[in-house]
Amino acid sequence: MTPVILQAGLKEALTEGGIVEAHCVEDAKKVGNIWQGNWRIYLRLGDQTALLVIARGLEPREFKTITGLVSFGVELGLTTVPVPLRGGDKVTWNHDTEAEPHS
């Protein structure tokens, strides 16, 4: 069974050098003017990997739209949020605590 992590723990682990990965589970497709798909978030800390879950029932937290996924990245403090678009692809979200936002 894959270890799991809650959102509060994810933010804390980021400050301790954890690496966040966004995994595309289902190809993104445009429906009307909204891009939809299925994404899951994983945390890598050393050689451990943990899946982001919903507190209520330990089921994976899944993002169904690119907007939702990007909003989550921004909540984590990212200023650039790459999004994988094909099922099976993944990207690393770099969280640089030293960076100052540029306007």
Side-chain angles (χ1 to χ4, degrees):
M1 185 171 150
T2 304
V4 296
I5 191 164
L6 299 173
Q7 186 170 337
L10 183 70
K11 287 185 174 184
E12 187 178 312
L14 274 177
T15 64
E16 296 168 2
I19 297 167
V20 174
E21 292 178 345
H23 290 228
C24 184
V25 179
E26 179 184 304
D27 287 4
K29 58 188 173 298
K30 196 169 187 184
V31 179
N33 59 0
I34 297 172
W35 280 91
Q36 298 180 341
N38 189 334
W39 294 269
R40 291 182 180 177
I41 301 297
Y42 290 83
L43 172 76
R44 283 192 303 134
L45 196 53
D47 59 358
Q48 293 284 341
T49 301
L51 173 65
L52 179 66
V53 295
I54 299 168
R56 296 187 292 280
L58 295 184
E59 66 265 18
R61 173 144 183 213
E62 295 187 334
F63 296 87
K64 300 295 188 181
T65 66
I66 286 179
T67 305
L69 184 65
V70 169
S71 294
F72 181 72
V74 172
E75 285 175 32
L76 290 179
L78 279 74
T79 54
T80 301
V81 185
V83 175
L85 299 176
R86 287 185 309 220
D89 286 357
K90 64 183 179 182
V91 297
T92 299
W93 284 0
N94 295 315
H95 190 268
D96 185 359
T97 54
E98 304 299 313
E100 290 295 318
H102 299 288
S103 50

